[in-house]
Amino acid sequence: NAGVTQTPKFRILKIGQSMTLQCAQDMNHNYMYWYRQDPGMGLKLIYYSVGAGITDKGEVPNGYNVSRSTTEDFPLRLELAAPSQTSVYFCASSYSLGLGTDTQYFGPGTRLTVL
Amino acid sequence: EDKVVQSPLSLVVHEGDTVTLNCSYEVTNFRSLLWYKQEKKAPTFLFMLTSSGIEKKSGRLSSILDKKELFSILNITATQTGDSAVYLCAVNQKTSYDKVIFGPGTSLSVIP
């Protein structure tokens, strides 16, 4: 298994540009998540999905959009990039809810800089 | 407001030292507490704690949870330079999805 993969690893955007961060998992996990991590801070949840076709907002969704057309893929879209979106973005997935034994598996991250 | 607090925020020790990292939380509908190690890239899972007083061990790392005091510690004995990382504490909350609230992390540097 490749686990959770993310592309690109690094990206520099100009203010107002758009881009899509890709995330894929091959573990057949139902739940997928997008976090951002700013320097010296914990991870903040942007959006999450509990299955194909179902997405919802997390703690900091403004300026982002997601879609989940398949179980494997969960892309994150930035429509009008702003300097405040400079961050490291992590995608994660987990199998199921409520068993008390599961954990989230993280991708390697995408470092985004908006200038 | 739900929150997870870690202390210290940064720590520098010498190889061979023992360190204790602290995590306290105020989270409604607690399900479990998680510890992650984050080096240059993604967090990697260390421990999940759900019951008070039961120590989890993995090599030189161990952790314990106190659900009454809303507190957990992560111990690392005989530290090595490879232990240098940010250690994240997080609480899994019972919600309609697998919500995890992360603390800010403790940055540990182990010097030779």
Side-chain angles (χ1 to χ4, degrees):
Chain A
N1 283 354
V4 181
T5 57
Q6 289 182 239
T7 56
K9 291 183 180 178
F10 306 96
R11 184 72 187 269
I12 298 174
L13 286 181
K14 294 182 180 178
I15 294 172
Q17 286 186 318
S18 300
M19 78 162 294
T20 299
L21 282 66
Q22 301 292 344
C23 174
Q25 52 89 12
D26 62 359
M27 298 175 281
N28 202 32
H29 284 173
N30 295 322
Y31 296 84
M32 296 187 75
Y33 317 83
W34 274 106
Y35 293 93
R36 60 176 287 171
Q37 186 177 34
D38 299 326
M41 306 289 284
L43 287 82
K44 300 284 188 183
L45 183 66
I46 304 171
Y47 270 94
Y48 68 96
S49 169
V50 301
I54 307 169
T55 63
D56 208 345
K57 296 177 181 178
E59 191 178 355
V60 289
N62 291 343
Y64 307 95
N65 272 302
V66 294
S67 59
R68 184 100 181 267
S69 57
T70 66
T71 299
E72 294 78 19
D73 301 298
F74 190 40
L76 176 73
R77 178 122 181 115
L78 283 71
E79 289 295 347
L80 292 171
S84 61
Q85 294 177 305
T86 295
S87 190
V88 180
Y89 291 84
F90 289 101
C91 179
S93 71
S94 63
Y95 180 63
S96 61
L97 179 67
L99 299 180
T101 58
D102 199 27
T103 185
Q104 293 186 13
Y105 296 86
F106 285 84
T110 295
R111 183 176 295 275
L112 176 67
T113 302
V114 182
L115 301 174
Chain B
E1 181 185 340
D2 297 322
K3 62 180 179 181
V4 177
V5 178
Q6 292 185 246
S7 65
L9 292 181
S10 67
L11 188 59
V12 180
V13 301
H14 290 278
E15 268 191 317
D17 288 349
T18 293
V19 298
T20 298
L21 310 183
N22 304 299
C23 176
S24 63
Y25 61 92
E26 294 177 25
V27 176
T28 56
N29 300 315
F30 174 93
R31 172 183 285 130
S32 61
L33 187 140
L34 311 166
W35 283 99
Y36 289 86
K37 178 182 181 181
Q38 185 177 24
E39 295 173 270
K40 295 206 183 296
K41 292 190 174 179
T44 53
F45 174 75
L46 293 175
F47 297 113
M48 174 184 287
L49 303 157
T50 55
S51 301
S52 278
I54 299 175
E55 186 183 49
K56 295 252 178 133
K57 289 199 72 168
S58 176
R60 295 175 295 101
L61 277 67
S62 64
S63 184
I64 198 162
L65 173 67
D66 185 332
K67 290 170 75 174
K68 182 179 177 185
E69 298 297 328
L70 309 183
F71 191 83
S72 175
I73 59 172
L74 175 69
N75 277 323
I76 309 175
T77 59
T79 52
Q80 303 171 356
T81 54
D83 296 326
S84 296
V86 173
Y87 290 84
L88 296 169
C89 175
V91 172
N92 188 312
Q93 190 180 34
K94 293 178 190 173
T95 61
S96 57
Y97 66 100
D98 197 17
K99 182 175 182 180
V100 176
I101 301 167
F102 284 85
T106 293
S107 176
L108 174 65
S109 297
V110 181
I111 55 178

